[in-house]
């Protein structure tokens, strides 16, 4: 490499609307010194998975950079923890579809010439815009066209508007409280304000833009633009470009945020002490493990409001419950963010998970720890029937989390210990990923209670509908953030 070799920043994004589903990629090459956008690349890929699409985007970005200067050094910034960790050599590549793509990406530049950094989704908007433009074009039966792209302008406008909102809140003495975007959450798209560009205004371009089949994109190689994004530097963008790319240029190989969960404490201690991480916590903790918590669809016992735990008849879904599962499957497919599915071993959860899995094209892993509480002799009874038959036991159960249902059922304290241990196990197994957990009322409420640091009696103050969605994000420092609770709009 000569002393005149250039330094580039490559930002790439990939995603699939369905996972697998219609996919496209977006990639942008920036001059590390000036922040100037040098190359934009995007392409509709057909039907592939999110992870394959992300690798295709990385490959397209690296090839575009090599086309500009094969002797350059490159710093890759992506919001895919999986790709960053695998290409950095810290995680193994096991999936057969990703191994050849990773090997091909590693060959574009000599070893040691490329470094990788994980960035939050909110810092990757330029590539995200390109990727979504490509997927939109594919939906119309077209390929992405650089002549109609507004990705660079949109990303710059969004960043300027966001900066204006942040400055305004600081001037008024408000503390920023934006939580790190989790997998599956779309980043806020701000309207132009302050120093933002007006709706029709365009910046002067010195940009090379490549679409499908171009030399820079390497033909069909590209990746689907995923959700969530970030702000790209723009030629002529003044302080906006200088601030963001200056930060990228200063970050070396050691800048990758940690993604592994912190060492878990004993389950009973965590169940009592875990406290939610403040929304304005440090942004360098890596992508969280995000649990999307799905309560199973209705069974014949659900509308009758009967105790139905892990020690009863183990009913299957009713026709209404199967319809609910189909609706939630369709909703999750549109979001395209679920990367794995884990279900309780009971029939109603396995059936619900199976319907969703068939729509998303994912396998189901069964986890014993997600089962419902065992309600002992109360199984199959209504609350009123339990009150009539076992009034003293019911009063004790309502008064203390340590009390067991009649006949040796499971106390809420025992359930909390089990759920805390299951949570820690799954956070370690799915660090940085978005996982659908198909479970029951008590386990889901317990996940939420522990994340909030709420007392046991809070279990009686939550309403959790059949086939509802809730979500909790777990960060590497052990903190948690509740993102969603009892969402049922997909059933309407």
């Amino acid at each position: 490499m000569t002393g005149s070799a250039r330094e580039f920043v490559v930002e790439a994004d990939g995603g699939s609307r369905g996972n697998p589903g219609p996919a496209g990629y977006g990639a942008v090459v920036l001059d590390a010194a000036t922040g100037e956008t040098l190359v934009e690349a995007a392409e509709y890929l057909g039907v592939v998975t999110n992870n394959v699409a992300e690798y295709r985007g990385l490959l397209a970005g690296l090839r575009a950079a090599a086309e500009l200067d094969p002797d350059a050094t490159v710093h890759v910034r992506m919001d895919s923890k999986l790709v960053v960790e695998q290409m950095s050599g810290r995680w193994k590549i096991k999936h057969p579809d990703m191994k050849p793509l990773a090997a091909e990406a590693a060959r574009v530049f000599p070893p040691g010439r490329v470094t990788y950094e994980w960035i939050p989704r909110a810092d990757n908007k330029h590539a995200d815009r390109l990727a979504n433009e490509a997927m939109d074009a594919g939906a119309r039966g077209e390929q992405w066209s650089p002549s109609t792209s507004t990705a660079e302008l949109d990303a710059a406008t969004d960043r300027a508007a966001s900066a204006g909102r942040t400055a305004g809140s600081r001037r008024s003495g408000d503390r920023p409280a934006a939580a790190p975007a989790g997998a599956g959450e779309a980043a806020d798209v701000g309207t132009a304000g302050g120093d933002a560009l007006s709706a029709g205004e365009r910046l002067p371009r010195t940009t090379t833009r490549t679409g499908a089949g171009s030399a820079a994109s390497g033909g069909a190689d590209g990746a689907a633009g995923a959700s969530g994004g970030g702000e790209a530097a723009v030629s002529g963008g003044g302080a906006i470009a200088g601030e963001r790319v200056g930060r990228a240029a200063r970050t070396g190989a050691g800048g990758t945020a940690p993604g592994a969960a912190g060492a878990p404490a004993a389950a009973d201690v965590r169940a009592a002490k875990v406290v939610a991480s403040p929304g304005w916590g440090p942004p360098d903790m890596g992508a969280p493990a995000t649990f999307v918590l799905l309560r199973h669809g209705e069974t014949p016992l659900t509308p009758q409001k009967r105790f139905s735990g892990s020690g009863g008849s183990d009913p299957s879904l009713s026709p209404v419950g199967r319809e609910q599962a189909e609706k939630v499957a369709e909703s999750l497919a549109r979001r395209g963010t679920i990367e794995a599915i884990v279900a309780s071993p009971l029939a109603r959860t396995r059936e619900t998970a199976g319907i969703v899995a068939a729509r998303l094209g994912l396998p189901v892993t069964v986890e014993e720890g997600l089962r419902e509480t065992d309600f002992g002799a109360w199984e199959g009874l209504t609350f009123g029937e339990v009150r009539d038959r076992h009034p003293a036991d019911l009063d004790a159960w309502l008064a203390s989390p340590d009390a067991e249902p009649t006949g040796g059922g499971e106390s809420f304290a025992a359930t909390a210990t089990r759920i805390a241990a299951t949570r820690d196990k799954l956070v370690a197994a799915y660090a940085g990923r978005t996982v659908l957990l198909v479970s029951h009322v008590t386990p889901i409420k317990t996940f939420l209670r522990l994340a909030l640091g709420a007392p046991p009696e809070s279990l009686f103050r939550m309403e959790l509908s059949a086939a509802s969605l809730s979500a909790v994000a777990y960060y590497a420092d052990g903190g948690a953030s509740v993102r969603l609770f009892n969402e049922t709009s997909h059933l309407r």
Side-chain angles (χ1 to χ4, degrees), residues 7 9 32 75 77 117 242-253 255:
E7 295 183 8
V9 173
H75 185 64
R77 293 158 46 92
E117 176 192 6
E243 173 191 324
R244 189 183 61 95
V245 177
R247 182 173 73 245
R250 288 193 298 272
T251 306

Side-chain angles (χ1 to χ4, degrees), residues 33-122:
T34 66
E36 178 185 348
T37 300
L38 303 175
V39 177
E40 287 178 315
E43 184 180 355
Y44 176 66
L45 298 174
V47 176
V48 300
T49 65
N50 279 325
N51 292 336
V52 168
E54 289 166 345
Y55 266 106
R56 298 283 297 275
L58 168 65
L59 188 56
L62 290 174
R63 285 178 167 171
E67 189 77 14
L68 292 173
D69 187 347
D71 294 324
T73 58
V74 178
H75 185 64
V76 175
R77 293 158 46 92
M78 295 181 70
D79 60 52
S80 170
K81 188 72 171 174
L82 177 76
V83 174
V84 167
E85 293 297 319
Q86 289 181 339
M87 291 304 297
S88 298
R90 290 183 288 271
W91 291 0
K92 291 183 179 180
I93 305 172
K94 299 180 180 180
H95 198 286
D97 291 341
M98 290 186 282
K99 283 183 178 180
L101 293 172
E104 196 169 355
R107 290 193 296 266
V108 176
F109 285 93
R113 199 85 64 77
V114 181
T115 56
Y116 290 85
E117 176 192 6
W118 177 87
I119 58 174
R121 298 172 66 189

